[in-house]
Amino acid sequence: MANSFVRYTGNGSTSTYSIPFSYRSTADLSATVAGVNTTFSLNAAGTTLTFASPPANLAAVEIRRKTSQTSRLTDYASGSVLTESDLDTDSTQAFMMSQEAIDSADDVIKISNTDFQYDATSKQIRNVTDPTSAQDVATKAY
């Protein structure tokens, strides 16, 4: 199970979805329906996300945490007091970014450990261009 995102399939009637992972700030959350960023609201506990209207039947719904990688949440200064809060904030940011990196790495086509061949884990591979060499992957229409 991923540590920084969850995926659901819309059914045309459900508009509320659980968030089973931790996050630091609401600003770190994003939700897409069929690949389009979609606005949402959260319950008071921050564990449930609600869309204004239910995603369509069979629509891909993804809720993802994206921790800032461009700005540090803690800035250490010489001579300042080092607090537990500063250390926790810095550690949490690094920990969440590492979870997100691991989740991204786990979400790619990998080599099977049984025969060392690529395994698409029963997923379709889309946007393949026409082959140029005899051993290239070919589209169904090629």
Side-chain angles (χ1 to χ4, degrees), residues 15-17 19 26 29 31 38-44 46-52:
S15 59
T16 301
Y17 296 88
I19 304 172
T26 303
L29 288 179
T38 306
T39 58
F40 57 87
S41 60
L42 297 174
N43 68 340
T47 57
T48 304
L49 175 146
T50 302
F51 295 110

PDB file of all heavy atoms in Angstrom, residues 15-17 19 26 29 31 38-44 46-52:
ATOM      1  N   SER A  15     -19.280  10.680  -3.234  1.00  0.00           N
ATOM      2  CA  SER A  15     -18.497  11.917  -3.337  1.00  0.00           C
ATOM      3  C   SER A  15     -17.512  12.068  -2.188  1.00  0.00           C
ATOM      4  O   SER A  15     -16.712  12.991  -2.168  1.00  0.00           O
ATOM      5  CB  SER A  15     -19.425  13.136  -3.391  1.00  0.00           C
ATOM      6  OG  SER A  15     -20.226  13.194  -2.240  1.00  0.00           O
ATOM      7  N   THR A  16     -17.529  11.147  -1.210  1.00  0.00           N
ATOM      8  CA  THR A  16     -16.660  11.213  -0.039  1.00  0.00           C
ATOM      9  C   THR A  16     -15.685  10.035  -0.059  1.00  0.00           C
ATOM     10  O   THR A  16     -16.100   8.885  -0.250  1.00  0.00           O
ATOM     11  CB  THR A  16     -17.511  11.181   1.245  1.00  0.00           C
ATOM     12  OG1 THR A  16     -18.406  12.294   1.217  1.00  0.00           O
ATOM     13  CG2 THR A  16     -16.640  11.276   2.473  1.00  0.00           C
ATOM     14  N   TYR A  17     -14.399  10.349   0.150  1.00  0.00           N
ATOM     15  CA  TYR A  17     -13.349   9.330   0.091  1.00  0.00           C
ATOM     16  C   TYR A  17     -12.407   9.480   1.277  1.00  0.00           C
ATOM     17  O   TYR A  17     -12.087  10.591   1.701  1.00  0.00           O
ATOM     18  CB  TYR A  17     -12.553   9.460  -1.216  1.00  0.00           C
ATOM     19  CG  TYR A  17     -13.406   9.203  -2.433  1.00  0.00           C
ATOM     20  CD1 TYR A  17     -14.126  10.223  -3.042  1.00  0.00           C
ATOM     21  CD2 TYR A  17     -13.514   7.925  -2.963  1.00  0.00           C
ATOM     22  CE1 TYR A  17     -14.928   9.985  -4.151  1.00  0.00           C
ATOM     23  CE2 TYR A  17     -14.318   7.671  -4.068  1.00  0.00           C
ATOM     24  CZ  TYR A  17     -15.017   8.707  -4.650  1.00  0.00           C
ATOM     25  OH  TYR A  17     -15.809   8.467  -5.747  1.00  0.00           O
ATOM     26  N   ILE A  19      -8.887   9.366   3.409  1.00  0.00           N
ATOM     27  CA  ILE A  19      -7.473   9.673   3.218  1.00  0.00           C
ATOM     28  C   ILE A  19      -6.712   8.820   4.231  1.00  0.00           C
ATOM     29  O   ILE A  19      -6.664   9.149   5.416  1.00  0.00           O
ATOM     30  CB  ILE A  19      -7.183  11.177   3.457  1.00  0.00           C
ATOM     31  CG1 ILE A  19      -8.056  12.029   2.548  1.00  0.00           C
ATOM     32  CG2 ILE A  19      -5.705  11.470   3.250  1.00  0.00           C
ATOM     33  CD1 ILE A  19      -7.988  13.519   2.856  1.00  0.00           C
ATOM     34  N   THR A  26      -2.951  20.958   4.577  1.00  0.00           N
ATOM     35  CA  THR A  26      -3.954  20.795   3.520  1.00  0.00           C
ATOM     36  C   THR A  26      -3.376  21.205   2.166  1.00  0.00           C
ATOM     37  O   THR A  26      -3.731  20.631   1.136  1.00  0.00           O
ATOM     38  CB  THR A  26      -5.203  21.645   3.844  1.00  0.00           C
ATOM     39  OG1 THR A  26      -5.689  21.244   5.115  1.00  0.00           O
ATOM     40  CG2 THR A  26      -6.284  21.445   2.818  1.00  0.00           C
ATOM     41  N   LEU A  29      -2.081  18.482  -0.155  1.00  0.00           N
ATOM     42  CA  LEU A  29      -2.997  17.513  -0.758  1.00  0.00           C
ATOM     43  C   LEU A  29      -3.470  17.971  -2.129  1.00  0.00           C
ATOM     44  O   LEU A  29      -3.729  19.156  -2.340  1.00  0.00           O
ATOM     45  CB  LEU A  29      -4.235  17.315   0.120  1.00  0.00           C
ATOM     46  CG  LEU A  29      -4.057  16.566   1.416  1.00  0.00           C
ATOM     47  CD1 LEU A  29      -5.387  16.500   2.158  1.00  0.00           C
ATOM     48  CD2 LEU A  29      -3.504  15.173   1.186  1.00  0.00           C
ATOM     49  N   ALA A  31      -6.200  16.393  -5.403  1.00  0.00           N
ATOM     50  CA  ALA A  31      -7.126  15.340  -5.816  1.00  0.00           C
ATOM     51  C   ALA A  31      -7.396  15.508  -7.302  1.00  0.00           C
ATOM     52  O   ALA A  31      -7.614  16.616  -7.783  1.00  0.00           O
ATOM     53  CB  ALA A  31      -8.427  15.430  -5.025  1.00  0.00           C
ATOM     54  N   THR A  38      -9.109  18.634  -9.096  1.00  0.00           N
ATOM     55  CA  THR A  38     -10.484  18.903  -8.701  1.00  0.00           C
ATOM     56  C   THR A  38     -10.513  19.478  -7.287  1.00  0.00           C
ATOM     57  O   THR A  38      -9.767  19.009  -6.418  1.00  0.00           O
ATOM     58  CB  THR A  38     -11.309  17.598  -8.755  1.00  0.00           C
ATOM     59  OG1 THR A  38     -11.166  17.017 -10.054  1.00  0.00           O
ATOM     60  CG2 THR A  38     -12.765  17.845  -8.487  1.00  0.00           C
ATOM     61  N   THR A  39     -11.359  20.477  -7.061  1.00  0.00           N
ATOM     62  CA  THR A  39     -11.476  21.058  -5.729  1.00  0.00           C
ATOM     63  C   THR A  39     -12.225  20.100  -4.818  1.00  0.00           C
ATOM     64  O   THR A  39     -13.026  19.281  -5.261  1.00  0.00           O
ATOM     65  CB  THR A  39     -12.192  22.420  -5.770  1.00  0.00           C
ATOM     66  OG1 THR A  39     -13.475  22.239  -6.346  1.00  0.00           O
ATOM     67  CG2 THR A  39     -11.399  23.432  -6.581  1.00  0.00           C
ATOM     68  N   PHE A  40     -11.964  20.245  -3.522  1.00  0.00           N
ATOM     69  CA  PHE A  40     -12.537  19.351  -2.528  1.00  0.00           C
ATOM     70  C   PHE A  40     -12.605  20.071  -1.195  1.00  0.00           C
ATOM     71  O   PHE A  40     -12.018  21.129  -1.005  1.00  0.00           O
ATOM     72  CB  PHE A  40     -11.701  18.072  -2.398  1.00  0.00           C
ATOM     73  CG  PHE A  40     -10.259  18.338  -2.050  1.00  0.00           C
ATOM     74  CD1 PHE A  40      -9.848  18.474  -0.734  1.00  0.00           C
ATOM     75  CD2 PHE A  40      -9.297  18.456  -3.052  1.00  0.00           C
ATOM     76  CE1 PHE A  40      -8.526  18.732  -0.407  1.00  0.00           C
ATOM     77  CE2 PHE A  40      -7.964  18.711  -2.742  1.00  0.00           C
ATOM     78  CZ  PHE A  40      -7.574  18.844  -1.421  1.00  0.00           C
ATOM     79  N   SER A  41     -13.319  19.469  -0.264  1.00  0.00           N
ATOM     80  CA  SER A  41     -13.333  19.936   1.118  1.00  0.00           C
ATOM     81  C   SER A  41     -12.950  18.753   2.005  1.00  0.00           C
ATOM     82  O   SER A  41     -13.033  17.598   1.581  1.00  0.00           O
ATOM     83  CB  SER A  41     -14.707  20.485   1.499  1.00  0.00           C
ATOM     84  OG  SER A  41     -15.688  19.482   1.362  1.00  0.00           O
ATOM     85  N   LEU A  42     -12.518  19.062   3.231  1.00  0.00           N
ATOM     86  CA  LEU A  42     -12.120  18.027   4.181  1.00  0.00           C
ATOM     87  C   LEU A  42     -13.021  18.078   5.402  1.00  0.00           C
ATOM     88  O   LEU A  42     -13.510  19.150   5.782  1.00  0.00           O
ATOM     89  CB  LEU A  42     -10.670  18.234   4.620  1.00  0.00           C
ATOM     90  CG  LEU A  42      -9.600  18.139   3.540  1.00  0.00           C
ATOM     91  CD1 LEU A  42      -8.241  18.518   4.113  1.00  0.00           C
ATOM     92  CD2 LEU A  42      -9.554  16.747   2.955  1.00  0.00           C
ATOM     93  N   ASN A  43     -13.209  16.927   6.043  1.00  0.00           N
ATOM     94  CA  ASN A  43     -13.929  16.927   7.311  1.00  0.00           C
ATOM     95  C   ASN A  43     -13.027  17.537   8.381  1.00  0.00           C
ATOM     96  O   ASN A  43     -11.841  17.797   8.140  1.00  0.00           O
ATOM     97  CB  ASN A  43     -14.395  15.508   7.679  1.00  0.00           C
ATOM     98  CG  ASN A  43     -13.245  14.570   8.005  1.00  0.00           C
ATOM     99  OD1 ASN A  43     -12.093  14.797   7.634  1.00  0.00           O
ATOM    100  ND2 ASN A  43     -13.559  13.486   8.693  1.00  0.00           N
ATOM    101  N   ALA A  44     -13.568  17.787   9.567  1.00  0.00           N
ATOM    102  CA  ALA A  44     -12.823  18.463  10.634  1.00  0.00           C
ATOM    103  C   ALA A  44     -11.555  17.712  11.024  1.00  0.00           C
ATOM    104  O   ALA A  44     -10.525  18.326  11.323  1.00  0.00           O
ATOM    105  CB  ALA A  44     -13.721  18.669  11.851  1.00  0.00           C
ATOM    106  N   GLY A  46      -9.775  15.907   9.019  1.00  0.00           N
ATOM    107  CA  GLY A  46      -8.859  15.850   7.888  1.00  0.00           C
ATOM    108  C   GLY A  46      -8.631  14.460   7.356  1.00  0.00           C
ATOM    109  O   GLY A  46      -7.659  14.212   6.643  1.00  0.00           O
ATOM    110  N   THR A  47      -9.536  13.534   7.657  1.00  0.00           N
ATOM    111  CA  THR A  47      -9.367  12.138   7.235  1.00  0.00           C
ATOM    112  C   THR A  47     -10.285  11.740   6.088  1.00  0.00           C
ATOM    113  O   THR A  47     -10.170  10.638   5.567  1.00  0.00           O
ATOM    114  CB  THR A  47      -9.632  11.190   8.416  1.00  0.00           C
ATOM    115  OG1 THR A  47     -10.944  11.451   8.920  1.00  0.00           O
ATOM    116  CG2 THR A  47      -8.601  11.392   9.528  1.00  0.00           C
ATOM    117  N   THR A  48     -11.200  12.639   5.721  1.00  0.00           N
ATOM    118  CA  THR A  48     -12.145  12.360   4.653  1.00  0.00           C
ATOM    119  C   THR A  48     -12.222  13.556   3.717  1.00  0.00           C
ATOM    120  O   THR A  48     -12.334  14.689   4.153  1.00  0.00           O
ATOM    121  CB  THR A  48     -13.551  12.070   5.231  1.00  0.00           C
ATOM    122  OG1 THR A  48     -13.455  10.991   6.155  1.00  0.00           O
ATOM    123  CG2 THR A  48     -14.530  11.694   4.153  1.00  0.00           C
ATOM    124  N   LEU A  49     -12.158  13.268   2.442  1.00  0.00           N
ATOM    125  CA  LEU A  49     -12.223  14.286   1.398  1.00  0.00           C
ATOM    126  C   LEU A  49     -13.571  14.180   0.700  1.00  0.00           C
ATOM    127  O   LEU A  49     -14.035  13.071   0.432  1.00  0.00           O
ATOM    128  CB  LEU A  49     -11.081  14.045   0.415  1.00  0.00           C
ATOM    129  CG  LEU A  49     -10.967  14.895  -0.832  1.00  0.00           C
ATOM    130  CD1 LEU A  49      -9.499  15.093  -1.169  1.00  0.00           C
ATOM    131  CD2 LEU A  49     -11.694  14.262  -1.990  1.00  0.00           C
ATOM    132  N   THR A  50     -14.195  15.326   0.405  1.00  0.00           N
ATOM    133  CA  THR A  50     -15.488  15.330  -0.267  1.00  0.00           C
ATOM    134  C   THR A  50     -15.430  16.220  -1.499  1.00  0.00           C
ATOM    135  O   THR A  50     -14.979  17.366  -1.418  1.00  0.00           O
ATOM    136  CB  THR A  50     -16.601  15.829   0.679  1.00  0.00           C
ATOM    137  OG1 THR A  50     -16.624  14.994   1.834  1.00  0.00           O
ATOM    138  CG2 THR A  50     -17.955  15.788  -0.002  1.00  0.00           C
ATOM    139  N   PHE A  51     -15.883  15.684  -2.629  1.00  0.00           N
ATOM    140  CA  PHE A  51     -16.012  16.453  -3.865  1.00  0.00           C
ATOM    141  C   PHE A  51     -17.397  17.094  -3.899  1.00  0.00           C
ATOM    142  O   PHE A  51     -18.352  16.538  -3.349  1.00  0.00           O
ATOM    143  CB  PHE A  51     -15.839  15.551  -5.091  1.00  0.00           C
ATOM    144  CG  PHE A  51     -14.467  14.960  -5.225  1.00  0.00           C
ATOM    145  CD1 PHE A  51     -14.270  13.595  -5.017  1.00  0.00           C
ATOM    146  CD2 PHE A  51     -13.386  15.746  -5.568  1.00  0.00           C
ATOM    147  CE1 PHE A  51     -13.011  13.041  -5.143  1.00  0.00           C
ATOM    148  CE2 PHE A  51     -12.114  15.197  -5.694  1.00  0.00           C
ATOM    149  CZ  PHE A  51     -11.926  13.847  -5.482  1.00  0.00           C
ATOM    150  N   ALA A  52     -17.511  18.229  -4.578  1.00  0.00           N
ATOM    151  CA  ALA A  52     -18.805  18.909  -4.705  1.00  0.00           C
ATOM    152  C   ALA A  52     -19.819  18.029  -5.423  1.00  0.00           C
ATOM    153  O   ALA A  52     -20.998  18.024  -5.091  1.00  0.00           O
ATOM    154  CB  ALA A  52     -18.635  20.237  -5.434  1.00  0.00           C
TER     155      ALA A  52
END
